[in-house]
Amino acid sequence: QVQLLQSGAEVKKPGASVKVSCKASGYTFAAYYMHWVRQAPGQGLEWMGWINPNSGATNYTQKFQGRVSMTSDTPINTAYMELSRLRSDDTAVYYCAREFWSGYPYFDSWGQGTLVTVSS
Amino acid sequence: DIQMTQSPSSLSASVGDRVTITCRASQSIGIFLNWYQQKPGEAPKLLIYGAFSLQSGVPSRFSGSGSGTDFTLTISSLQPEDFATYYCQQTYSSPSITFGQGTRLEIK
């Protein structure tokens, strides 16, 4: 079955960078876009962007342009999301989610989430 | 960007109740509308895609309807495990995707 296993919780200082990994199994990794979504404490879901693991093409929402980088390593079926110049309001749980397409795109599988805490 | 507005923001209901949550898009999105359920401490779970298609394994008490700008998620008879937060998501403007702000469903 499809599984997305994310890296563990991180604590970072303001201004630092964080890199979260998402290891996929149970399907052909390169065949599906991978999205990243974050959720601040007590808040809703915020879409950040996606990567096409096959081509390396990315698309980021404007809010994170210049601070986020999404990459993938297809031989090891792993996607990464790196966020730089961290601020306290970047404290959130970060999820990876696989995009599936059945006439319409949707996120059919999600990682368990990675808590990133930004604190001095 | 397409804005998604859910109503109500929170809702109290009892086991066995019929519940409806609405989601309105700021412009027409066809049926590019998905619904997710999220329980505390867990990742979201897909319930409905393409406005009305039930994801495999999701109980049939969940149903979706609508097109264009107005959509609904209906739970026909609430079960204890249904108390959670529900989010709509539009993928019409992909590659730019947006979620509604969520509807918290609580036990009355």
Side-chain angles (χ1 to χ4, degrees):
Chain A
Q1 74 281 22
V2 174
Q3 285 192 317
L4 302 176
L5 184 61
Q6 296 184 224
S7 49
E10 304 261 13
V11 179
K12 296 291 184 180
K13 293 192 182 302
S17 297
V18 68
K19 191 170 186 177
V20 179
S21 67
C22 171
K23 184 171 178 60
S25 61
Y27 72 99
T28 302
F29 175 68
Y32 298 87
Y33 285 27
M34 190 71 78
H35 294 249
W36 290 88
V37 176
R38 78 175 187 179
Q39 186 171 39
Q43 302 302 307
L45 302 171
E46 181 176 30
W47 177 76
M48 300 179 69
W50 55 252
I51 181 168
N52 176 350
N54 185 52
S55 67
T58 56
N59 183 74
Y60 308 137
T61 192
Q62 189 169 8
K63 176 177 179 177
F64 298 105
Q65 290 276 358
R67 278 209 306 143
V68 71
S69 176
M70 296 177 189
T71 57
S72 63
D73 189 340
T74 51
I76 61 170
N77 296 337
T78 302
Y80 303 91
M81 187 285 300
E82 184 170 22
L83 190 62
S84 62
R85 302 194 299 277
L86 289 168
R87 307 184 293 253
S88 59
D89 61 358
D90 291 318
T91 294
V93 175
Y94 290 76
Y95 294 100
C96 58
R98 185 183 81 157
E99 176 186 311
F100 193 84
W101 181 276
S102 180
Y104 305 91
Y106 51 87
F107 300 171
D108 71 329
S109 299
W110 294 66
Q112 83 277 18
T114 297
L115 174 63
V116 176
T117 303
V118 182
S119 174
S120 55
Chain B
D1 286 2
I2 298 176
Q3 307 302 316
M4 306 300 293
T5 304
Q6 290 182 230
S7 60
S9 296
S10 64
L11 173 62
S12 294
S14 302
V15 172
D17 284 354
R18 179 183 180 89
V19 166
T20 297
I21 298 168
T22 65
C23 179
R24 174 164 289 177
S26 59
Q27 66 185 71
S28 179
I29 59 170
I31 58 170
F32 285 77
L33 191 284
N34 308 315
W35 290 97
Y36 299 86
Q37 175 195 66
Q38 187 181 33
K39 297 179 180 179
E42 297 183 5
K45 171 189 171 185
L46 176 70
L47 299 176
I48 302 284
Y49 63 92
F52 52 79
S53 295
L54 193 67
Q55 172 68 346
S56 176
V58 174
S60 59
R61 62 181 180 272
F62 291 92
S63 64
S65 64
S67 65
T69 59
D70 295 308
F71 302 86
T72 60
L73 173 69
T74 300
I75 310 172
S76 61
S77 178
L78 271 175
Q79 298 302 300
E81 61 268 28
D82 300 337
F83 292 95
T85 300
Y86 294 83
Y87 294 93
C88 62
Q89 175 202 43
Q90 69 81 19
T91 55
Y92 176 81
S93 63
S94 183
S96 179
I97 290 170
T98 48
F99 290 92
Q101 82 279 14
T103 295
R104 185 175 178 182
L105 178 53
E106 301 174 318
I107 300 173
K108 184 182 287 184

